[in-house]
Amino acid sequence: MDAARRRGERIDNPYTYGRAFGYLPTETEKRWLAEEIAKLGLNNPVLLDPTAGGGSIPFESVRLGIPTIANDLNPVAALVLRATIEWPAQLGSALIARFETLARKFRLGLMDRLANLFPPNPDPQRIDTTYLWARTITCPYCEGLVPLSPNWRLAPDGTGIQLHPNPRTKRVSFAIVAKPADHSAGTVRGGDAQCPYPECGRVVDGDEVKAQAQAGRMGEQLFAVVYKERIQRRTKGGKLRDAWQRGYRAPLPTDMDSDSLAAHLAEKCAQWEALDVLPSESIPDLSNYERGHKMYGMTRWRDLFSPRQLLCHGSSVEVFRDLLEGSVASGQLDDTTRAAFAYLAIAVDKMLNYNSRMSIWMSTREVIANTFNRHNFAFSWSYAEMMPLVEGLGYDWALRSMDECIGEIQKLVSPKFALSDRTKSGSLQLALGHSIMAAPPTEVTCRSADQLEGVASASVDCIVMDPPYYDNVMYAELSDFFYVWLKRTVGLVFPELFRTRLTDKDQEAVANPAKFKGQDHPKERADRDYRQRMAAIFAECHRVLKADGVLTLMFTHKATGAWDALAAGLIEAGFTVTASWPINTEAESSLHIKEKSAANSTIFLVCRPRAAQQAGENTYWEDVEPRVAQAVRARIGEFQEAGIRGVDLYLSCFGPALEEFAKHWPLRRGTPRVVPEHKKPRQRGLFLDESDPYAVTPEDALDAARREVKKWRLDRLLRTTRHADLDPLTEWFVLAWDAFKAPEFPYDEALRLARVVGLDLDRDVIRVLAEKKGSDVLLWDSAKRAAKGALGSSDGSRALLDALHHAAYRARKDGLEAARRLLEEGGAARLPSFPLGLQALLEVLPVSSTFTKVADEKGAVAEAAGDFDALEHLRRLAFSDRVPEPEQLGLWTGSQSG
């Protein structure tokens, strides 16, 4: 799939099977479900998702005919939930007809307002579709205007941009070129700008770039226009037919009249500000994404759009309101029309997403990437502006895709007639007893998940939830981009959803360090806040769930701090874990093709209300820990045979560990935990105070699981009964590559892995084997360690890994024979652990292109592959009688291990 993307090919479905949401459950399958539910003695069981987000869980529940309650704190998510699971099932075919009528009127209204903003292409056979802009600064040394872009590629065929700086006008003009060799060099790298004027050519420090942006002096310059051209192509049958072909042209002076546009915007703004058409809200100080907007001078939500984009989006709000006023005046604002207006507002927001200063041109596919292509507010040095009124593109595209989406969702969630299911009375029934013409009862609410007013105690049979992902995504902050526009459109139709200035960050259940900016230890405070909020949510789930009900929790997160928080909240709220399953939910990738690690599995935890514990009853952790280890050992092989690998194997084993742990809660230590002074734990303050040396937390169970997986993986990697052990530093390095399949992974996970092998990460590993890079750890190869002066003795006296890295570095620099002599003469090759260490490294390092015949990835992966290449050739030269061929090499060569 990655190769296809590099070639610019579109892959609609990367999987080898159909998409699950596109499958329609048959009436036979629904009947089977009804029979199974009846066996449990349930009558129309109710399902609740308290943190429903975009709604995939309640969507599937409704499709199965189950009465459903879907809740989310975020108004944007609540609107999407109504549009996805409520209106399509309840409002019937009239909904599409009403939306199409509105869409036509909306399109006509925009034509009148926007027609003069975009000059036509001077060639009548061509239609401009996209404007490509570069942000600009002024060079402080020569005062030349510098267009900023890391590269000037436009298309995968090599089409790109050549800059022509004019030293007299201090402006750059642009030419379209066909070959990469003719592209100009990028003008920004790592935040620093490069002046393109030959007489200057100096580097402009990133601080100066930011200073100009924050002072309002960052501008923008049009550097290319994408067009489509009508041509004739001959079919296989020899006939000529019309077709459209994409092309690129350099900008013309007539393409942009900035002065006239600015004057037009200023005129409209005076009116629009009085009517609250454009977002006036400042981006709040509570932000985790300041590198993306505030650092470069964007302090208000409207700053994320260029003047012409603002004119287009403001006009869309204006037309929306005109249509709404007309419906109200004519008395036609019924439920179907209100829903149609909501879909219209969502379509307008789709244009916002693809038409901002953060929507970039993807040269690999020649399309515009949406604002949240990277799920943050990452700053874009260049951006793409979509033409709004081109037939089939712009608003046509947004409205048509919304129209199609409504129809597709209705087909998926609305019951269908099926003559074979006609009952004796002649009426058609759904499997769960509802009329075939009616959807199951569905309720969408928008409130904090720890305050589910309206849901009676012990009234819900099943809770299924995918909880907020700890510190991965700040949902509320990201959704403000849409919220500030939605409240000016659909907020007039559904005011109950859009009463606040911005979305609620205070009650959001995420580990958000920005909430505690300026306070001591903001990350630890954010962790505690997340734990408290998740515990409160689980307590509310316990209140509304029936005594014999089930809570199923799905979680995809490789940071075990999040696991500890969830498990703590669950057990504190009165739940016990009764079952767990890992399920692969991501597309498979080739080994070692990514620079950063990723979890590909979702872990499902099945929980039930815990029976009341007898007063004073207590169990000691020392008695339970062996049981936890045994529970993990019993499942590791099953998980690995099912295809669970790397970090997912550790995560999968957390489930059985927590199952056993929860059976015995509450727990205390019989003997106090001994913690060295330099390893004092952070104060979490929710589950149990970790300053209490007798305290036990779910993290203890997770540590036990890691130790068992560690033993299992090392035994499997070495494929033999060990007569020697690897030292802790070598073990950590091997296990890190084995678990994460990448040189870069979260610091917190590196910390826990170090704890498993008995190392202090900061003292023993950082600046020895790896470096800390933000919140991640980046592993070093032999050359990097040598350059940093971090290699220990070549005799392996500190760690066998030192000797192996010395050998790999010497082989890469001076040849294999020199590396062999180093190992033999220094004595490392005679160490009992030497064959084990060499074998282990060859099983976990990325295989080099010498053996894969595929070009190495760049960066740290390629450097590590260089070590593999050196060590494998060294093994073949001198140690093949003691160290078998690496098993992973068979994946590429088809050979079998000896």
Side-chain angles (χ1 to χ4, degrees):
M1 181 174 173
D2 287 317
R5 283 176 174 163
R6 285 193 289 270
R7 293 192 301 269
E9 297 175 7
R10 179 181 177 84
I11 306 295
D12 290 322
N13 181 11
Y15 303 93
T16 56
Y17 47 83
R19 293 176 174 177
F21 71 83
Y23 178 78
L24 289 170
T26 66
E27 295 306 318
T28 300
E29 290 167 336
K30 290 180 181 179
R31 189 180 296 106
W32 170 85
L33 177 62
E35 291 170 354
E36 293 300 310
I37 289 173
K39 291 177 184 177
L40 298 174
L42 299 175
N43 180 29
N44 288 342
V46 175
L47 181 142
L48 165 68
D49 183 352
T51 56
S56 58
I57 293 171
F59 178 75
E60 295 301 333
S61 176
V62 169
R63 289 188 340 123
L64 289 171
I66 298 173
T68 302
I69 303 170
N71 174 75
D72 200 274
L73 171 67
N74 195 305
V76 178
L79 180 71
V80 171
L81 287 169
R82 290 186 181 183
T84 304
I85 67 172
E86 192 173 276
W87 298 326
Q90 294 176 356
L91 298 177
S93 59
L95 178 59
I96 293 180
R98 198 69 52 84
F99 173 77
E100 290 173 347
T101 299
L102 270 182
R104 284 193 296 271
K105 293 178 179 178
F106 179 80
R107 177 75 163 74
L108 289 173
L110 281 177
M111 286 287 291
D112 296 338
R113 290 167 170 81
L114 304 182
N116 295 327
L117 295 182
F118 297 86
N121 190 303
D123 186 336
Q125 296 301 312
R126 295 177 175 179
I127 299 175
D128 295 332
T129 63
T130 310
Y131 284 57
L132 304 182
W133 297 86
R135 307 303 294 273
T136 62
I137 60 163
T138 300
C139 176
Y141 306 108
C142 71
E143 297 187 350
L145 190 70
V146 181
L148 302 172
S149 184
N151 65 73
W152 297 99
R153 178 180 289 271
L154 295 176
D157 65 1
T159 302
I161 295 291
Q162 190 177 84
L163 308 186
H164 294 277
N166 187 324
R168 183 179 59 82
T169 63
K170 299 297 183 182
R171 300 273 294 187
V172 173
S173 59
F174 307 93
I176 306 297
V177 293
K179 296 182 298 183
D182 295 330
H183 295 186
S184 289
T187 52
V188 65
R189 182 177 182 181
D192 298 333
Q194 178 79 50
C195 181
Y197 297 88
E199 70 278 10
C200 179
R202 297 178 69 174
V203 173
V204 182
D205 184 76
D207 290 339
E208 169 65 19
V209 175
K210 297 183 190 76
Q212 290 194 30
Q214 291 168 9
R217 300 201 307 274
M218 177 172 276
E220 50 200 25
Q221 186 176 4
L222 185 65
F223 68 86
V225 178
V226 188
Y227 63 81
K228 62 179 183 178
E229 181 178 17
R230 192 184 299 276
I231 61 171
Q232 285 196 322
R233 284 188 179 144
R234 196 170 295 279
T235 66
K236 291 182 180 179
K239 295 182 179 179
L240 289 175
R241 65 176 181 85
D242 287 342
W244 290 102
Q245 176 176 278
R246 182 186 290 107
Y248 301 87
R249 65 174 178 85
L252 301 170
T254 54
D255 284 326
M256 196 68 191
D257 186 350
S258 299
D259 293 338
S260 173
L261 193 67
H264 184 36
L265 179 60
E267 178 186 347
K268 293 296 294 184
C269 276
Q271 174 189 359
W272 283 349
E273 286 175 3
L275 297 173
D276 194 30
V277 169
L278 295 179
S280 58
E281 296 86 351
S282 296
I283 299 171
D285 291 334
L286 198 164
S287 174
N288 289 275
Y289 302 109
E290 292 184 346
R291 294 184 64 83
H293 34 54
K294 288 191 172 183
M295 189 176 288
Y296 290 95
M298 293 181 279
T299 60
R300 298 177 299 173
W301 290 110
R302 62 192 287 179
D303 295 339
L304 273 59
F305 305 92
S306 71
R308 187 160 60 185
Q309 288 173 335
L310 273 180
L311 278 170
C312 292
H313 299 324
S315 296
S316 69
V317 174
E318 197 173 43
V319 174
F320 181 98
R321 290 182 174 184
D322 288 347
L323 293 173
L324 181 59
E325 288 176 7
S327 292
V328 172
S330 62
Q332 296 178 349
L333 197 61
D334 57 12
D335 287 346
T336 302
T337 304
R338 281 157 52 88
F341 271 109
Y343 287 115
L344 180 59
I346 295 172
V348 169
D349 263 31
K350 182 166 187 172
M351 274 295 288
L352 291 164
N353 192 19
Y354 283 86
N355 212 15
S356 77
R357 278 175 166 161
M358 293 156 56
S359 51
I360 63 173
W361 181 251
M362 294 184 68
S363 60
T364 53
R365 294 174 52 205
E366 297 180 276
V367 295
I368 297 175
N370 69 75
T371 295
F372 293 101
N373 185 47
R374 287 173 283 184
H375 305 102
N376 57 26
F377 289 116
F379 182 76
S380 298
W381 299 107
S382 60
Y383 70 91
E385 179 186 18
M386 186 185 296
M387 294 282 282
L389 298 178
V390 175
E391 184 177 350
L393 301 174
Y395 282 104
D396 266 6
W397 162 74
L399 295 168
R400 184 186 67 249
S401 61
M402 181 55 65
D403 187 30
E404 293 172 352
C405 182
I406 298 169
E408 289 172 0
I409 292 176
Q410 281 192 328
K411 290 177 183 177
L412 292 171
V413 302
S414 296
K416 290 188 174 183
F417 283 102
L419 293 178
S420 60
D421 290 317
R422 191 175 298 275
T423 64
K424 292 181 180 179
S425 62
S427 64
L428 291 175
Q429 299 291 318
L430 268 180
L432 297 184
H434 304 294
S435 168
I436 196 72
M437 295 302 294
T442 303
E443 181 182 0
V444 174
T445 58
C446 181
R447 54 174 62 99
S448 178
D450 62 357
Q451 299 174 22
L452 299 173
E453 299 96 342
V455 182
S457 298
S459 63
V460 173
D461 299 273
C462 180
I463 297 174
V464 182
M465 62 185 298
D466 188 0
Y469 284 177
Y470 195 53
D471 60 353
N472 248 20
V473 182
M474 302 298 124
Y475 306 93
E477 187 177 345
L478 295 176
S479 68
D480 278 342
F481 175 90
F482 300 104
Y483 181 89
V484 295
W485 292 93
L486 285 169
K487 78 173 184 177
R488 289 168 167 84
T489 53
V490 74
L492 304 176
V493 185
F494 298 98
E496 69 277 8
L497 290 178
F498 298 92
R499 290 172 176 164
T500 57
R501 185 170 179 272
L502 293 170
T503 57
D504 187 345
K505 314 318 185 279
D506 291 333
Q507 296 188 81
E508 186 180 29
V510 290
N512 186 352
K515 286 184 182 180
F516 307 98
K517 189 181 294 183
Q519 302 181 42
D520 292 338
H521 308 295
K523 185 175 180 182
E524 286 78 6
R525 291 177 184 272
D527 176 273
R528 185 186 305 130
D529 182 61
Y530 177 76
R531 289 164 176 264
Q532 290 170 338
R533 294 192 181 281
M534 288 310 306
I537 290 172
F538 290 138
E540 184 72 345
C541 289
H542 193 279
R543 178 187 71 81
V544 303
L545 190 66
K546 293 179 180 178
D548 58 352
V550 176
L551 184 155
T552 299
L553 184 78
M554 54 187 73
F555 202 54
T556 306
H557 206 301
K558 57 181 176 284
T560 48
W563 276 91
D564 188 37
L566 283 175
L570 277 168
I571 297 174
E572 184 77 358
F575 285 100
T576 187
V577 181
T578 58
S580 63
W581 293 280
I583 298 178
N584 278 340
T585 53
E586 305 295 331
E588 292 290 335
S589 298
S590 299
L591 293 175
H592 309 300
I593 64 170
K594 299 297 180 187
E595 287 286 326
K596 298 187 74 172
S597 67
N600 294 322
S601 298
T602 294
I603 313 301
F604 285 71
L605 298 180
V606 180
C607 311
R608 291 181 180 274
R610 188 173 61 246
Q613 203 88 26
Q614 291 184 3
E617 184 176 345
N618 216 312
T619 307
Y620 291 108
W621 170 241
E622 290 83 352
D623 296 325
V624 173
E625 185 175 14
R627 300 181 186 180
V628 171
Q630 177 58 37
V632 171
R633 274 197 303 274
R635 300 285 295 279
I636 298 177
E638 174 189 342
F639 293 154
Q640 185 153 315
E641 287 180 13
I644 305 296
R645 299 285 186 272
V647 66
D648 289 312
L649 188 61
Y650 287 80
L651 297 181
S652 298
C653 288
F654 292 165
L658 291 174
E659 282 183 53
E660 190 65 32
F661 180 87
K663 289 178 186 177
H664 305 282
W665 186 256
L667 287 162
R668 295 284 288 171
R669 294 181 186 278
T671 55
R673 182 203 304 264
V674 178
V675 182
E677 185 68 24
H678 70 278
K679 287 188 179 181
K680 282 187 176 179
R682 297 176 296 184
Q683 301 302 307
R684 301 196 185 277
L686 166 67
F687 191 69
L688 285 173
D689 188 347
E690 290 187 359
S691 64
D692 177 0
Y694 295 93
V696 180
T697 74
E699 181 64 24
D700 292 302
L702 304 186
D703 271 345
R706 288 189 201 93
R707 287 192 293 272
E708 289 306 310
V709 178
K710 167 211 159 184
K711 294 175 188 174
W712 173 275
R713 284 305 303 151
L714 284 175
D715 287 346
R716 294 307 177 276
L717 286 170
L718 299 173
R719 291 174 280 154
T720 183
T721 301
R722 285 180 282 167
H723 301 291
D725 288 324
L726 298 177
D727 58 89
L729 205 61
T730 304
E731 266 195 356
W732 183 89
F733 186 83
V734 168
L735 290 168
W737 267 109
D738 179 58
F740 301 107
K741 301 287 189 282
E744 191 170 345
F745 46 88
Y747 175 88
D748 285 348
E749 293 313 292
L751 187 69
R752 290 176 171 87
L753 194 59
R755 186 164 63 198
V756 166
V757 299
L759 294 175
D760 181 280
L761 183 67
D762 291 319
R763 184 186 61 197
D764 301 327
V765 176
I766 300 301
R767 294 178 296 280
V768 176
L769 296 181
E771 64 185 274
K772 191 163 187 268
K773 184 180 177 184
S775 60
D776 289 337
V777 165
L778 179 63
L779 292 173
W780 289 344
D781 71 302
S782 65
K784 177 71 77 172
R785 290 187 70 198
K788 296 282 187 180
L791 282 171
S793 173
S794 63
D795 64 4
S797 55
R798 178 181 69 173
L800 180 63
L801 183 64
D802 290 336
L804 293 170
H805 266 170
H806 267 292
Y809 181 60
R810 182 68 61 87
R812 292 166 68 177
K813 188 163 64 85
D814 300 327
L816 292 173
E817 184 57 33
R820 186 194 65 77
R821 286 199 306 272
L822 178 70
L823 290 173
E824 297 286 3
E825 294 170 5
R830 295 188 293 277
L831 293 172
S833 61
F834 174 78
L836 299 178
L838 178 56
Q839 182 180 350
L841 250 63
L842 289 173
E843 290 293 4
V844 298
L845 289 175
V847 179
S848 66
S849 59
T850 303
F851 302 98
T852 66
K853 308 305 179 184
V854 177
D856 282 336
E857 291 286 317
K858 296 180 181 179
V861 170
E863 296 301 325
D867 280 347
F868 175 91
D869 194 77
L871 291 173
E872 171 57 14
H873 281 101
L874 188 60
R875 182 196 70 81
R876 294 183 178 198
L877 171 70
F879 305 110
S880 60
D881 59 330
R882 300 169 61 193
V883 180
E885 178 182 290
E887 198 171 64
Q888 68 161 331
L889 204 54
L891 298 175
W892 299 100
T893 64
S895 62
Q896 298 298 317
S897 301

